[in-house]
Structures are given as structure tokens and as C-alpha cells.
Amino acid sequence: MKYFEVNYLSKGQKSKTIIKSPSKHDAIAIAKMKIPGIILNVKETSAPLEDQFMTIKNQLLGAVTKRKIKMPGLIAAIRQLSVMTNAGISIHDSVKEVSGSTADKTLKEIFDNINDDLNSGLSLTQAMMPYRSELGDVTIAMVELGESTGNMAESLEKLAEILDEIEANRQKFKKALRYPITVVIAIAIAFTILMVYVVPKFKEIFSKLKADLPLPTKILLFMENIINNYGLFLLAFIVGTIILFKYLLANNEEFKKGFDKYILKVYLIGNIIFYATMSRFTLVFTELIRAGIPIADALDTALLTLENSHLKKRLGSVKISVQRGISLTEAMRDTGLFEGMLIQMIQAGEQSGTLDKMLEKVTNYFKSRFNEIIDNIASYIEPILLGFIAAMVLLMALGIFMPMWDMAKAVKN
């Protein structure tokens, strides 16, 4: 949210006030509704000092206790909105009814505030914008599509389908990771117990030997010393690092850009993020094209659904190229994100006037690649998991038994 200084004339006197809004256009709209007088000018300004401190405080707390909406509750609310608007009920009454029927407290609070903003004259998109992080970019984009086409019921119905699919993929992903995460946690617990209770016993024996210990044993004793003497500091450092990482990711643009670019290169995770992002982008873009939205405007709205800033920048170049008169096929080829087969499909769609159908096939391709990775994620992770287990067991075995073998040899000699 940005801050705007509004200068206005009321009862023959000049006055000014500060309005929080995502854009200058929205700030003007809010000012016209709430300020009793003639608006002279609206300009962006810095936040008041008190608000700056409060923002930093909320951001740090938000990194730890971020409000989350349960996806099934949001999907149910969107479906209810779709049914009611399709039945001819006004969006104001529909939002009010959803607010009263939802069981999710966070979602209820958001819809109550949206209802108040609707009554003050804001559009549904403008009312939802402050809750973008909770509702999601896809929700904002599809609601904006419904308002621009005049077919809110159909857009909300499609939005519910998209959110349902995203939730299904998320659950599938969590289910696939359940086994490896359980194994890693079990190993970590077992390793910690060994370090706290078992290794100290051997440490007393090794200290009496006064011999040069092998490298695995030195590593083991060093880890035991860190865990037993500085365990709480280590835990505090890990928690602090996680909080700082989340804060920088949410509030430092350069850090986010670097992270988003790096994460795409990470084994397996990069492919999951890439195919999930591209599938979502092409899905929304296809629906916008099918609704008759111009390509440049459709790209602009579809870009709102992207969370990865690196992919957003590369796909954003498509809009710039299209506005310069370059064909969509050439613009997408220049990004380097689409395979040759997909470029041919898009080109065929442009030439035959069936772009929406070809884009749907592109969406299905990205979706199938994503599903393939998720369905086989266990087989991808298994070699890494086995290597991790083998390394831990080998370190423990060599660290404890190598000095024992040296003792045995000394006794024989």
C-alpha cells in the first residue's frame, strides 16, 4: 500500500489528508467517496513516521504469524459468490451473504471489510486489493476479468475451478513429500539423541587415550560440542535466520529477485516452480483471450498471477514486444521459456484464429509436466535421501569405531 496526500477545498478552506491506497487512481476514487469537498490534487508521499514504525513491526510479526486462509473455505466462498451472482443477486448482497455464512474467521473479517468498501463505492477489485496476499493474485486477476467483461458469475466459476486445481496440486505435493520428510525428521531426532547421550560417553574414553583421533571422530566430537554447549544459541540462530529470510523476501526487492532467479536452478524445486508458474500463467491468459480481452491487456492481467519475479520479468517482455507490433509467437520465442513445439502451436493458433484453443493445449502441456514431477517426486528424492542417510550412518560408524580399532590394535601389540 502507498500513501497519497490529498489537498482539497472544503467550506472555503484548504485542507489535506493522507490516504492509503495501492495506486494513485484508487486513491482518487477513495478521496471522491470519502472527502466532503473539492479535490485540488493528489500526490504520492512518504508514510508518517508512526506508520513507518508500525509497518516494520507488522512486517516482522507478519513474517512469523502471517494470516492464512484455508483454501477449501475460500473455494467454497467463491463458488457461493458465483452461484448467487449467476442467479441475479447483486455483488453487494452476495458478498454480505458469504461473509455471514463462512466459518473461517480470517475470511469472514476480510469479506466484512470488502462489504464496507463496496458500500462506500469501490469496485470489487479495488475492495479486494488490500487483501491480495491473503486471497491470492489469481483471485484478483479473475475478479478484474469479471468486471471488465461484465460476466462476473462465469469468471468466479472459473476462478473456483482454478483454485480447486491449485489446492489439489498442493495436497498432492504435500502427500508426496510426507514420506521423505518423515524419514529426515526421524534421522535428525535419532542423530540428536546420539549426540546428547551416546557420544559424550565415548568422548570420555577417547580423552583418556590421549591419542591423535581420526578426522571422522574429530568431526563427530566437534558436532557434539556445538549441540551440547551451544544448542539453544544454534536453535535461536536458525529461527532468527528463517524470520530474517522471510522478512527480506517480502520487503527487499533485490533480495527477492536474486532468490527467485536462484531457486529456478535448484534441482527438482526449480522445475516444480517453473511448470506450476507457467501452467497458471497460460491458464489465466487463455481464459482472458477466450473472453475477448486484447492480447496486451490479457498479458498485463495474467502477469499479476506470477509470484516469481524472474519469470515475471521475462514474460513481461512479451507485453512490451506485442505493443511494439511484434507477433505473440515471436515475443514468446524471445523469452526462451517455451519449447519449439509450443511455439509452433501458438503460431498455428495465431495464423488460424484459434489462439485460445492452442493456448489451452499449451496450458495442458505445462500441467502434465507438473503432474509428472509431482507423481514421481518420491523416485526423484529417493537417491538424495539414501545418500543423506548413508553419510550420517558412515560418519557415526567411522567416528566411533575407528578409535576402537586403534585401541584393539594397541592391545594386541
Side-chain angles (χ1 to χ4, degrees), residues 87-105:
I89 301 173
S90 70
I91 195 66
H92 302 74
D93 293 336
S94 299
V95 168
K96 187 176 181 180
E97 181 63 30
V98 169
S99 174
S101 61
T102 184
D104 190 316
K105 291 183 179 179

Side-chain angles (χ1 to χ4, degrees), residues 138 141-142 162 166 273-289 295-308 311-319 322 328 331-332 335 337-338 346 359-360 362-364 366-367:
V138 177
M142 293 304 291
I162 294 172
I166 292 173
I273 293 174
F274 175 77
Y275 287 116
T277 302
M278 295 301 292
S279 173
R280 186 183 306 175
F281 171 79
T282 52
L283 175 61
V284 175
F285 183 52
T286 302
E287 292 304 319
L288 294 169
I289 293 295
I295 290 178
D297 294 336
L299 285 167
D300 201 25
T301 303
L303 285 170
L304 293 174
T305 66
L306 303 185
E307 296 176 1
N308 187 282
L311 290 177
K312 190 170 188 175
K313 181 181 177 182
R314 293 176 70 176
L315 288 169
S317 66
V318 176
K319 178 193 171 184
V322 168
L328 181 64
M332 286 190 165
T335 64
L337 299 174
F338 298 84
I346 295 169
L359 284 173
E360 187 175 2
V362 173
T363 302
N364 291 334
F366 284 125
K367 191 188 302 181

